[in-house]
Amino acid sequence: MIMSKQALIIIDIQNEYFENGGLPLVNPETASLNARKVLNHFRANNFPIAHIQHLSSDPEALPIFVEGTSGVEIHENVKPLAGEKIFQKYYPNSFRETGLGEYLKENDVTEVIITGMMTHMCVDATTRAAFDFGYKCTVLGDTCASRDLEINGKTVKADDVHHAFLAALEFFYAEIKSTEDFLAA
């Protein structure tokens, strides 16, 4: 029997998504505190950890996640320690044009535990990509946050956006768990 080797992926838990940031989400503090519990578990077990940091590809067109600003910094609740891997990205998919895939292969990872911001964008894109690359995926839903979205003049509330995307991922791409259930296993 082959044992699963897990890695934690913490996607874009950056200041920009918190109060006074350029793109505040609903309940990012709660999500980040749950992510910190999982991060501490991975640190205690010396398991691979990948911090993902989003950067603006065009700061003039979209003045958020600009290098050198406080908004782009990884939030203090999940701040990387010296030696932990940080991958910077310009696209929602954390694998695209980063070294994440190589890092996971180097560490013989077979399962990824996914946390982060935004459920409907980068968490979704990264989970689907990870699955397509052959990883078993677990998304910890209460470590993720989203925001209200609009379409055709209708506002879709953040809680509905969040749960709809988690439900879609669970349909085929990932197992969805809570922090408590994951840590108790």
Side-chain angles (χ1 to χ4, degrees):
M1 183 167 107
I2 297 173
M3 294 293 290
S4 171
K5 185 164 182 188
Q6 296 178 338
L8 175 63
I9 301 175
I10 304 174
I11 304 169
D12 305 345
I13 300 183
Q14 294 168 251
N15 293 336
E16 211 71 89
Y17 288 127
F18 289 77
E19 187 177 349
N20 300 319
L23 193 61
L25 303 182
V26 175
N27 297 321
E29 188 74 26
T30 300
S32 70
L33 291 172
N34 285 329
R36 181 168 64 191
K37 291 175 189 174
V38 179
L39 175 58
N40 289 338
H41 168 78
F42 273 75
R43 285 173 173 162
N45 288 286
N46 202 29
F47 291 161
I49 298 165
H51 296 270
I52 311 298
Q53 181 183 36
H54 192 83
L55 302 174
S56 175
S57 58
D58 185 358
E60 290 184 24
L62 189 63
I64 55 175
F65 302 106
V66 177
E67 289 186 67
T69 66
S70 63
V72 78
E73 293 175 12
I74 294 175
H75 193 271
E76 64 184 26
N77 288 345
V78 293
K79 195 70 110 179
L81 297 178
E84 290 179 351
K85 294 296 282 185
I86 302 170
F87 297 95
Q88 294 179 326
K89 67 177 180 61
Y90 296 94
Y91 301 96
N93 174 356
S94 297
F95 288 89
R96 184 175 172 184
E97 299 178 21
T98 70
L100 178 60
E102 292 80 8
Y103 174 72
L104 296 176
K105 285 178 191 165
E106 290 167 5
N107 285 282
D108 299 319
V109 170
T110 58
E111 179 179 4
V112 292
I113 309 304
I114 298 170
T115 68
M117 313 292 169
M118 298 188 284
T119 314
H120 66 279
M121 184 64 72
C122 299
V123 170
D124 181 68
T126 299
T127 302
R128 290 169 187 264
F131 179 87
D132 288 346
F133 285 126
Y135 294 100
K136 180 180 186 290
C137 300
T138 301
V139 176
L140 303 181
D142 61 358
T143 67
C144 302
S146 195
R147 62 192 297 257
D148 291 357
L149 297 178
E150 280 196 34
I151 185 163
N152 298 326
K154 178 178 170 47
T155 299
V156 183
K157 300 305 275 176
D159 191 59
D160 293 330
V161 170
H162 175 75
H163 285 96
F165 273 82
L166 291 177
L169 287 172
E170 188 170 55
F171 183 77
F172 187 76
Y173 289 97
E175 184 175 4
I176 308 300
K177 289 186 174 181
S178 68
T179 298
E180 183 179 340
D181 287 346
F182 175 75
L183 294 175

